[in-house]
Amino acid sequence: MEVTITSENFETLKNGQKPLVVDFWATWCGPCRMVAPIISELAEKYDGKLVVGKCDVEESEELAAQFGIRNIPTILFFKNGEVVDKLVGAAGKQKFEEKFDALLA
């Protein structure tokens, strides 16, 4: 299950027990809409192993700025509170699965 990432819950999720995947996106972004069903499917598949969240860059501009998000979709992978990987732009399901698996390794 995906969670909505906001300034209010980000620090708690980032420093939680499970790794965190954050999809920075916007409603008007075509590639974001292409990636969204893949992210949703993987959020279900990896439920209980990691936390998958979506952060609307227009609603949480300060978070996007904090991580220098200039292109969307940008997916950041956090482990132990630190960014350990990043994927910019649309990608296929296999690429996302590789990144999710690497985060759990």
Side-chain angles (χ1 to χ4, degrees):
M1 182 179 96
E2 295 170 312
V3 296
T4 300
I5 304 287
T6 64
S7 299
E8 290 75 34
N9 67 3
F10 175 72
E11 287 298 321
T12 301
L13 292 170
K14 178 182 75 136
N15 296 311
Q17 296 294 315
K18 297 175 187 161
L20 173 65
V21 177
V22 181
D23 175 12
F24 287 89
W25 70 290
T27 55
W28 48 262
C29 168
C32 298
R33 289 194 303 270
M34 290 171 45
V35 166
I38 297 169
I39 298 292
S40 294
E41 181 181 335
L42 293 177
E44 298 274 333
K45 179 178 178 180
Y46 289 86
D47 190 35
K49 297 178 184 171
L50 47 79
V51 176
V52 178
K54 296 184 72 72
C55 181
D56 187 323
V57 296
E58 292 187 329
E59 292 179 11
S60 297
E61 292 177 18
E62 63 286 341
L63 275 180
Q66 178 181 343
F67 292 101
I69 305 299
R70 290 187 176 80
N71 300 305
I72 53 174
T74 293
I75 294 83
L76 296 183
F77 300 84
F78 293 86
K79 194 169 194 172
N80 300 320
E82 301 292 324
V83 176
V84 295
D85 204 354
K86 176 180 183 176
L87 183 62
V88 179
K93 181 179 174 183
Q94 182 177 352
K95 184 67 170 177
F96 282 108
E97 281 185 307
E98 289 170 8
K99 298 279 189 181
F100 279 50
D101 289 339
L103 190 60
L104 292 171

